[in-house]
Every structure is written in C-alpha cells, then in structure tokens.
Amino acid sequence: MSMCAKFPRIVAVAMALCAARCSGSAAQSASQAKPSSDGPADQGTPAPRQDGTASSGRDVFRFETFGNEGFWTDALRVPAGVMAAKVTPLQALQLGLSMDIDAVDPSTQDTLTEQLRRDPSGRSSALLNDPKMTGRLIKANAVIGLAAKGEKVGVTCALCQTITKVRRSRCRAVARSVSGRTAAPTTI
C-alpha cells in the first residue's frame, strides 16, 4: 500500500484517538468539576493604586538608562570615542543632539549666551568649539538623552523622544527640554 493510500487511514486513526482522549478527559474533568475562577476565591483587599508624579515621570524619561551604561561606555566606548575624536559641542549639535541649557551652571549659561549673542551660528563661540566642553556637558547631563552615571554614560528614552523649546536668544539646538510631551521625534 502506498503512502497516499495509507494517509486517509492514518488520519482516521488519529482522529479516533483524539476523540477518545478528549471524551475521556471530558468525563474525568466532569467528575472533578470545580467552578471556574480567575484566582483564589478570597482575593483579599486590593492594593491601593499608587500613581507617580509628573516630575518623577519626567526624571525617568530623561535620566533612566535601565542599566545600559555598560553597553554604551564599555562595549561601544562612546564617551572615549567622543573624546578621542575631539567632538566639539557645535559638532554634536550639527549631528542632531540637543542640549539643555538649564542643566549647565549659571556662569556657563551667561558665557554661552554672550557668545551666541555676538555670533548666533556658534562658529566663533569658544565654548561650543572646545572638545573638552563636550565632556563637561555630558557629565552635567546637559546632552539630552545621555545620562552620566559616575564614570559611565547611558542612553535614555529622551535621546529620540524629547521635544525642545528653543529660546530666541540661543543657538537653535541649545534649548530647554520640554520632557514629558509626546510627539514625533524632532531634531532642531
């Protein structure tokens, strides 16, 4: 007998076995019938809902790396590569990163404001053209989406998802972070 001829017989035997098994388990389960439940009969008092605050949500969005610092610092060596390539803040801005002006100290804010007032493009700004300033900005958590955790740097949700509000007197990419707003990612 060929396989094709045996196939209907094999299917019939399999169906019979399945039906016998199902009817046997149905009879067994009917004798051991328990009421269906979504858990124990006494589920106790439900825990009260604990909502966070908007500011703690913004902090998680902006600074929580979920432990990825080792990947970005040790495996990919991003901070070391940025320093080795002598990336200036202006170059980082041109690459699409944004910086939160409110994260830097007041004297740096004042100096940068004055330099951008003289040259809004930032090309003549001593701060924006200093590669060491890039490291200082990263350590100050001023680069939106990069979170410094000790000697390591991780990436946060804010890297791709933050919307910034640009101050008119500042360089286009040096802005205030408006974390918490959700929309299509934008670069300035």
Side-chain angles (χ1 to χ4, degrees):
M1 196 183 267
S2 73
M3 188 62 173
C4 292
K6 291 181 183 178
F7 186 71
R9 186 172 175 195
I10 293 171
V11 171
V13 170
M15 290 176 69
L17 287 172
C18 185
R21 188 165 197 193
C22 290
S23 66
S25 64
Q28 182 183 12
S29 64
S31 67
Q32 300 173 349
K34 293 181 181 176
S36 66
S37 169
D38 288 334
D42 179 17
Q43 296 183 10
T45 307
R49 183 173 161 164
Q50 296 179 353
D51 291 337
T53 63
S55 64
S56 64
R58 277 191 295 272
D59 288 346
V60 167
F61 175 79
R62 177 83 192 277
F63 300 110
E64 182 57 59
T65 62
F66 301 101
N68 68 23
E69 302 89 358
F71 175 73
W72 294 101
T73 304
D74 299 333
L76 293 184
R77 300 175 40 104
V78 169
V82 167
M83 293 297 114
K86 297 184 179 184
V87 175
T88 67
L90 188 60
Q91 290 169 330
L93 294 169
Q94 290 168 344
L95 290 171
L97 293 177
S98 293
M99 303 204 189
D100 185 358
I101 192 67
D102 293 330
V104 297
D105 60 274
S107 66
T108 303
Q109 284 183 25
D110 295 341
T111 304
L112 186 56
T113 299
E114 184 56 38
Q115 290 176 3
L116 290 172
R117 190 170 287 130
R118 282 187 257 134
D119 178 12
S121 72
R123 284 188 223 114
S124 66
S125 168
L127 288 178
L128 291 179
N129 289 292
D130 181 7
K132 291 178 185 175
M133 186 63 183
T134 305
R136 287 180 41 206
L137 290 169
I138 291 171
K139 285 183 181 182
N141 286 321
V143 180
I144 298 172
L146 297 181
K149 308 263 181 146
E151 294 298 314
K152 299 193 182 235
V153 176
V155 173
T156 71
C157 298
L159 182 66
C160 300
Q161 303 299 323
T162 291
I163 298 170
T164 55
K165 179 179 177 183
V166 179
R167 294 181 184 173
R168 291 183 185 192
S169 63
R170 308 244 189 255
C171 180
R172 282 184 45 81
V174 177
R176 278 199 155 141
S177 172
V178 187
S179 298
R181 288 186 52 199
T182 54
T186 59
T187 54
I188 297 176

